Amino acid sequence: MLDAAQALFLADGYERTSVDAIAARADVSKRTVYDHFGDKERIYSAVVDRVTEKLLAAVRAAVEEELPEGRDLRAGLLAFARRVATATFPSSDYVLFRKLSNVGPAKRRVPGSVRNASKELFVRRMASFAEAGAITTDNPWRAAEHFIALTFLLALDTLDPTEQGAWDEVDEILVDGVDTFLRAYT
């Protein structure tokens, strides 16, 4: 059912995908789909959560290994950004996550959901940086969002990292993003 739903969400978008279509593609009854998931939004969430779990592992490792307490903040943030970018940008799972994020219901901050788990790991690290006085913020969530926008989102929205020579440009964006973040928050 999740494979069928994923294919339909990607092909037709969230709004045009019906539970009837998911059931038909999965070769099950509509009742079976509702019994397992409840509604279309929960099916969509299950699809996104399944893809997100693989990405969470990459982000968790990068947070733990590149941003340990006591590491130089610029070096750690840059190593973190580079590691996450190289581990996720070329990944079909990440591409799938981005596509699903763009076709589904409006993004919501749902604490504790798999979808937000990687961001929450990073937010906790931002909070620890703030507590230690390494950055100045009363809102670690917003600081994390600013960092993500200045690095990952800008690189993804600007470039196709699969193109020849694009990784040099991705790295320049990551370096500039880290430096801009640090100017704003230190």
Side-chain angles (χ1 to χ4, degrees), residues 74-123:
R74 183 181 187 278
L77 288 173
L78 189 53
F80 169 79
R82 285 174 170 155
R83 183 165 175 178
V84 170
T86 57
T88 62
F89 283 14
S91 164
S92 60
D93 291 324
Y94 191 72
V95 171
L96 183 59
F97 174 76
R98 296 262 304 161
K99 287 180 181 176
L100 286 168
S101 296
N102 291 329
V103 300
K107 291 181 187 178
R108 285 187 229 145
R109 184 172 150 193
V110 182
S113 74
V114 173
R115 192 176 320 167
N116 289 313
S118 58
K119 186 184 273 186
E120 288 175 1
L121 282 171
F122 190 57
V123 168

Side-chain angles (χ1 to χ4, degrees), residues 7-185:
L8 288 167
F9 288 138
L10 289 171
D12 300 335
Y14 178 82
E15 294 301 325
R16 291 187 309 251
T17 297
S18 68
V19 174
D20 286 324
I22 293 168
R25 183 149 187 167
D27 200 25
V28 298
S29 72
K30 184 176 175 179
R31 180 81 259 149
T32 300
V33 175
Y34 278 116
D35 286 346
H36 277 86
F37 298 103
D39 60 24
K40 184 170 79 169
E41 189 169 333
R42 287 191 184 128
I43 297 167
Y44 172 80
S45 290
V47 168
V48 172
D49 287 352
R50 182 174 70 164
V51 171
T52 304
E53 287 178 15
K54 293 178 183 176
L55 301 174
L56 175 59
V59 172
R60 178 178 285 123
V63 165
E64 291 171 359
E65 295 170 19
E66 306 301 345
L67 296 173
E69 289 188 34
R71 183 165 188 189
D72 174 74
L73 187 59
R74 183 181 187 278
L77 288 173
L78 189 53
F80 169 79
R82 285 174 170 155
R83 183 165 175 178
V84 170
T86 57
T88 62
F89 283 14
S91 164
S92 60
D93 291 324
Y94 191 72
V95 171
L96 183 59
F97 174 76
R98 296 262 304 161
K99 287 180 181 176
L100 286 168
S101 296
N102 291 329
V103 300
K107 291 181 187 178
R108 285 187 229 145
R109 184 172 150 193
V110 182
S113 74
V114 173
R115 192 176 320 167
N116 289 313
S118 58
K119 186 184 273 186
E120 288 175 1
L121 282 171
F122 190 57
V123 168
R124 284 194 295 273
R125 193 55 51 129
M126 284 288 151
S128 69
F129 290 150
E131 289 170 14
I135 65 171
T136 304
T137 185
D138 293 332
N139 188 341
W141 186 273
R142 185 56 44 90
E145 288 178 327
H146 285 157
F147 182 86
I148 291 165
L150 290 167
T151 55
F152 306 122
L153 294 181
L154 184 58
L156 284 168
D157 289 344
T158 304
L159 304 167
D160 177 358
T162 62
E163 289 181 7
Q164 184 84 4
W167 281 105
D168 291 338
E169 292 182 69
V170 167
D171 194 62
E172 288 177 22
I173 289 172
L174 297 178
V175 170
D176 291 345
V178 168
D179 290 342
T180 301
F181 175 84
L182 290 173
R183 280 193 299 276
Y185 281 93

